[in-house]
Amino acid sequence: MRLISINHYDQNTMQLAKPVYDSRRRILLAEGTTIHPKYLERLRAIHISHLIVEDKESEGITLEEMLDMPTWLNIMSIVKQCFDAIRLQQPIPLRSVLQCIGQLLGELRTRPILLPIPSTVIGQEMRIYAHAVNVCLMSLQVGKHLGYTELQLRDLALGCILHDIGKAAELDDPAKHPEKGFEIMRSVWEISIVSAHVAFQHHETIDGRGYPRGIQGDQVHRYAQICALCNLYDHLITDEGVQPHEAIEVIMGQNGMTYSEAIVHAFLKAIPPYPPGTKIQLSDGQDAIVTRIRTPLQRPDIRYLESLEELSLSEHPTVMIVSAK
């Protein structure tokens, strides 16, 4: 299986490998379905832009590195409950949030690599909640590479999963959502001050050009920098349609200027530039598809599309990835 743009779907050669859900988490199209062009247009109408499919080229690719969809959807629904609670001026369901974080930490302990599900596979209305889950998941992996303790990871995760909670309040200026998020989280005594500062500072940068306060250097908490970095990456992938390896290039260009070198380096160790299912061109002139992620992440296992020969790039240093499609 592999992730594709909806514009690349071919009903003659592809079928769904994962269900398609609407904004209420209802199954619109089941696994194994071949999508009629009329239904493709309906999916585009609700801003679903990516599908997870099976085809001959992706045969044998399992995407086992990806978080399973039921877990992703469940955690997303808890984040939505938090936003709904703020809109209704009710307490956020913190116990449920902490249970979700515990579930993600459990996944992190058992898997060396854990990819988020792109939020573009679900309807537009749920995307802000999917974004929160994905930022949290990626941030945990960065924190893991920085050697954070279980308690540190929990505080990081809580700040990241609620980093946009200020957007649930009615604001005259959307740019005030970090301050509002901080205010909301500080009103809950069980939430630590460092978690609240993730919401407050996730648009700050170490060069002082961020907001709302324009703080710089060590004034920007490391947790907030991690959240900011993962926030940027997810926005590049989701909103601008940038491919993972290109988004990582953008982040590398901000190393030591917008974000600290240690956090950028940890991110590069945590997030693969070529997820399984990515079509690539190699330096030997042949086209291939990524089948599995290995360490280092930049050197995955691949399969040539023409000969079907499989190769571990980590064991063949002279074969280079030239481009991704």
Side-chain angles (χ1 to χ4, degrees):
M1 66 180 74
R2 63 186 174 113
L3 178 76
I4 64 162
S5 165
I6 195 171
N7 296 325
H8 296 156
Y9 179 78
D10 183 345
Q11 69 176 116
N12 297 314
T13 62
M14 300 175 181
Q15 61 183 21
L16 286 175
K18 299 284 186 183
V20 175
Y21 295 84
D22 67 6
S23 59
R24 297 183 182 180
R25 297 193 300 146
R26 299 174 300 189
I27 293 179
L28 296 177
L29 294 167
E31 177 182 333
T33 301
T34 299
I35 310 175
H36 189 277
K38 180 172 65 176
Y39 288 106
L40 280 179
E41 290 308 312
R42 292 184 182 180
L43 296 181
R44 290 190 180 98
I46 60 173
H47 304 287
I48 290 176
S49 59
H50 286 83
L51 305 167
I52 299 175
V53 302
E54 292 271 14
D55 62 1
K56 186 175 181 181
E57 290 180 336
S58 62
E59 186 176 351
I61 299 174
T62 63
L63 291 183
E64 62 186 27
E65 299 89 350
M66 189 174 284
L67 184 67
D68 69 273
M69 191 163 280
T71 298
W72 185 66
L73 291 167
N74 178 63
I75 298 175
M76 192 192 313
S77 71
I78 299 300
V79 176
K80 182 179 185 300
Q81 288 176 30
C82 293
F83 276 65
D84 290 343
I86 297 304
R87 294 182 185 113
L88 297 171
Q89 298 184 337
Q90 296 175 353
I92 62 175
L94 187 59
R95 178 176 293 182
S96 296
V97 176
L98 293 174
Q99 288 174 345
C100 291
I101 289 171
Q103 193 171 9
L104 289 177
L105 285 169
E107 295 277 358
L108 198 67
R109 282 191 293 268
T110 58
R111 301 204 220 179
I113 300 167
L114 190 55
L115 298 175
I117 298 172
S119 56
T120 47
V121 304
I122 199 165
Q124 181 71 38
E125 292 177 16
M126 292 296 288
R127 203 156 288 173
I128 187 172
Y129 317 119
H131 168 70
V133 178
N134 288 349
V135 168
C136 178
L137 180 59
M138 289 187 288
S139 295
L140 280 173
Q141 292 180 91
V142 175
K144 179 181 176 181
H145 281 277
L146 288 168
Y148 286 176
T149 65
E150 184 92 354
L151 180 59
Q152 288 174 317
L153 288 173
R154 287 182 182 276
D155 282 344
L156 171 64
L158 185 55
C160 289
I161 207 164
L162 297 178
H163 75 277
D164 274 338
I165 193 67
K167 291 182 177 180
E170 293 186 12
L171 300 173
D172 295 332
D173 181 1
K176 293 181 179 179
H177 76 272
E179 297 164 286
K180 187 61 180 179
F182 178 74
E183 177 187 319
I184 290 167
M185 293 177 73
R186 286 300 294 138
S187 69
V188 183
W189 69 267
E190 298 98 331
I191 296 179
S192 74
I193 186 69
V194 293
S195 297
H197 268 86
V198 173
F200 199 9
Q201 297 183 357
H202 73 277
H203 283 295
E204 302 281 7
T205 58
I206 63 172
D207 59 9
R209 290 191 284 182
Y211 67 91
R213 294 183 294 163
I215 57 178
Q216 57 186 303
D218 292 339
Q219 292 177 303
V220 186
H221 197 282
R222 280 196 160 202
Y223 294 1
Q225 287 191 56
I226 294 170
C227 181
L229 197 56
C230 297
N231 182 61
L232 170 62
Y233 177 84
D234 197 60
H235 278 309
L236 288 170
I237 297 295
T238 301
D239 301 329
E240 300 185 27
V242 175
Q243 292 199 40
H245 70 284
E246 295 171 327
I248 287 174
E249 286 287 336
V250 172
I251 287 168
M252 289 173 63
Q254 303 188 38
N255 186 14
M257 294 178 289
T258 309
Y259 312 107
S260 76
E261 291 185 9
I263 289 170
V264 172
H265 290 162
F267 182 89
L268 298 178
K269 292 178 181 178
I271 309 301
Y274 305 103
T278 303
K279 284 187 175 182
I280 54 176
Q281 186 177 50
L282 299 171
S283 56
D284 59 12
Q286 298 190 65
D287 292 332
I289 189 168
V290 175
T291 58
R292 189 180 179 90
I293 304 300
R294 297 288 187 186
T295 302
L297 301 185
Q298 295 76 15
R299 306 295 292 168
D301 289 359
I302 61 96
R303 180 169 65 229
Y304 287 106
L305 292 179
E306 186 172 340
S307 67
L308 304 183
E309 177 191 356
E310 301 200 358
L311 200 70
S312 174
L313 294 185
S314 62
E315 298 174 2
H316 294 79
T318 61
V319 182
M320 308 297 292
I321 297 175
V322 175
S323 63
K325 302 178 180 181

